Amino acid sequence: MTVTDRIDRFAIDPFGADIPGESARLRALGPIVPVELPGGIPAWAPTGYDTLKELILDPQVSKDPRLHWRLWPEIGEHPSWGWILGWVGVVNMLSTYGADHTRLRRLVAPSFTQRRTEMMRPRVEAITAELLDALDADGEDGADGAVVDLKAGFAHPLPMRMICELFGVPEELREATGTLIAAIMDTSDPSPEHAAFVQQQIGTVLGALIAHRREHPGDDLTTELIRVRDEDGDRLSDEELLYTLLLVIGAGFETTVNLIGNAVVALLTHPEQLAAVRSGEIGWDAVIDETLRVHPSIASLPLRFAVSDIKVGDVTVPAGDAIITTYAAAGLDPMHYGPDADTFDASRGADDHMAFGIGVHRCIGAPLARVEALTALPALFDRFPDMRLAVGEDALRQVPSFIAFGWREIPVRFGA
């Protein structure tokens, strides 16, 4: 089918205002549903856990649009499709297939060892303590009713500072780096102007980072990726280096921001579970897994592509069609997690979630995200045991994205 085919497509909300509700509505239509992404991009959306897992692990599903997306040559004819270039119009581990993906992962993965992650733990603890001290100072008025945005004061700066230190991002580029990643995640504006801004900022901000680290090399991952060579002498090209940094920096902080923020909101809206966690009845690892199941930091990830015709139930996804990776729908699937799948229950033991990916594309930064969350969450609730949301859960606003799954602000009060 082409973009001109007359086919009923479910229009994905570009603002992601009700991701759980949208997932349920899609699931009612079948195991895989034709959808329209922001700007009018046609794709298919798997709606259940088993379907998504099978597609992710199927070697006949690619992540390289240049090889396997039938509509790739038409992107220039559709100005409103430009936003997708920040996701698939790049050359890194996220958008390659087969031998190309294996080569890039072989070059990049050694920089993300368990040893390096453990070496970062003391720095995670130090930044956490510093941010909590700052919140404590602000909270002097909290007992009197002051409202603090926990995302701005804690959930965002911790991963942001960690990723900037890890990659040697100089202070003068940090704000622009955050702005760039937020712009890529924002799917509410498919205009050509927004897409052009993102592409320009990728070259400007990350290009400046590479230039800085070439002139001032240090003990950081940008310097390491500039220098990396494998046993055959292969290395990242300039284009691969630029877009690899886009991937690992963006995935390295934005997703952890949402993981921490989503876990805080889940526990504050389920006080009986918070009490069980604080008493030791439920572990923090279980909280993180259940958060990633119910509120995965990435709700849907574009795009994968059918290498050949793929049969899903009674539906055939034609070769060359695009598929989105629907982590939120999979995590909320009642066929896999039971009739209460839409309910946060940290005692569930949902460690089979796919929020970090599975197979050859599993996130190489997952161990660091877990270290940050396992440090930040217990420290936060130990410091502020009486913390509570300052608004009703219904008043929280989702970030403007069908990709990212998190809150714009998390207003809390610290007083008893």
Side-chain angles (χ1 to χ4, degrees):
M1 66 192 64
T2 69
V3 293
T4 57
D5 285 338
R6 295 188 178 279
I7 181 172
D8 290 333
R9 293 187 176 274
F10 186 109
I12 297 296
D13 177 13
F15 290 88
D18 180 18
I19 289 171
E22 185 173 79
S23 297
R25 291 189 290 275
L26 283 166
R27 192 175 300 111
L29 297 176
I32 192 164
V33 178
V35 297
E36 181 180 285
L37 304 185
I41 299 173
W44 293 87
T47 64
Y49 184 98
D50 290 340
T51 300
L52 179 61
K53 184 175 182 178
E54 289 172 10
L55 288 170
I56 290 176
L57 297 178
D58 189 341
Q60 291 303 299
V61 177
S62 166
K63 297 199 79 174
D64 192 331
R66 293 160 292 276
L67 295 176
H68 300 120
W69 190 16
R70 181 174 38 77
L71 299 179
W72 175 251
E74 299 182 22
I75 281 190
E77 303 170 19
H78 303 275
S80 62
W81 293 13
W83 67 270
I84 201 69
L85 292 175
W87 294 95
V88 304
V90 295
V91 183
N92 57 33
M93 294 182 297
L94 192 67
S95 60
T96 46
Y97 172 74
D100 291 333
H101 172 263
T102 300
R103 169 185 165 270
L104 287 175
R105 193 167 181 107
R106 186 177 65 241
L107 286 168
V108 175
S111 297
F112 293 84
T113 61
Q114 184 66 36
R115 177 176 173 273
R116 186 187 288 271
T117 297
E118 286 303 315
M119 289 174 60
M120 297 298 292
R121 189 183 296 273
R123 190 62 188 138
V124 174
E125 293 170 351
I127 295 175
T128 296
E130 181 182 331
L131 293 171
L132 290 176
D133 287 344
L135 287 174
D136 217 350
D138 292 341
E140 288 297 323
D141 296 326
D144 298 323
V147 175
V148 175
D149 180 3
L150 195 72
K151 179 177 180 177
F154 187 69
H156 186 277
L158 172 59
M160 181 64 174
R161 286 176 58 178
M162 283 303 306
I163 208 70
C164 285
E165 291 187 13
L166 187 61
F167 283 89
V169 180
E171 191 66 44
E172 63 269 21
L173 288 178
R174 294 188 178 188
E175 182 177 352
T177 300
T179 299
L180 166 61
I181 302 305
I184 291 175
M185 292 288 181
D186 185 350
T187 58
S188 66
D189 181 5
S191 70
E193 292 77 16
H194 181 77
F197 170 78
V198 169
Q199 293 302 313
Q200 185 269 332
Q201 287 295 293
I202 291 173
T204 299
V205 177
L206 298 181
L209 170 60
I210 294 169
H212 176 79
R213 282 301 158 202
R214 279 186 168 140
E215 186 174 349
H216 306 284
D219 183 18
D220 60 82
L221 290 193
T222 300
T223 299
E224 196 166 307
L225 291 174
I226 290 170
R227 294 173 171 172
V228 68
R229 292 178 186 271
D230 66 12
E231 63 274 10
D232 299 320
D234 189 19
R235 65 184 302 170
L236 296 171
S237 69
D238 288 346
E239 180 185 32
E240 291 165 348
L241 173 62
L242 183 75
Y243 291 131
T244 293
L245 287 172
L246 175 67
L247 170 62
V248 292
I249 290 176
F253 93 87
E254 181 70 22
T255 53
T256 311
V257 171
N258 290 338
L259 170 55
I260 294 171
N262 292 345
V264 168
V265 171
L267 289 173
L268 291 180
T269 53
H270 295 82
E272 73 292 345
Q273 293 187 53
L274 175 57
V277 172
R278 302 207 66 224
S279 71
E281 181 183 341
I282 297 174
W284 284 105
D285 270 310
V287 171
I288 290 169
D289 284 330
E290 183 69 351
T291 300
L292 289 169
R293 181 190 74 83
V294 179
H295 294 107
S297 301
I298 297 296
S300 295
L301 188 64
L303 285 169
R304 295 171 187 254
F305 311 96
V307 176
S308 59
D309 288 357
I310 296 175
K311 191 80 169 175
V312 180
D314 296 329
V315 176
T316 297
V317 177
D321 274 19
I323 303 166
I324 57 175
T325 310
T326 47
Y327 296 120
L332 297 170
D333 182 3
M335 293 296 291
H336 187 80
Y337 289 108
D340 66 341
D342 59 350
T343 301
F344 180 87
D345 179 4
S347 66
R348 187 188 303 272
D351 58 357
D352 65 342
H353 66 80
M354 295 185 283
F356 286 130
I358 55 173
V360 297
H361 286 280
R362 180 172 171 80
C363 176
I364 60 176
L368 180 58
R370 191 172 285 272
V371 165
E372 291 182 31
L374 283 173
T375 301
L377 292 168
L380 174 67
F381 283 99
D382 283 347
R383 181 71 69 96
F384 303 111
D386 296 317
M387 180 173 58
R388 64 198 187 280
L389 285 176
V391 298
E393 186 178 8
D394 291 345
L396 295 174
R397 300 186 302 159
Q398 154 77 8
V399 295
S401 178
F402 82 91
I403 297 174
F405 198 2
W407 308 112
R408 299 192 198 192
E409 309 94 8
I410 305 175
V412 298
R413 289 189 172 93
F414 295 137

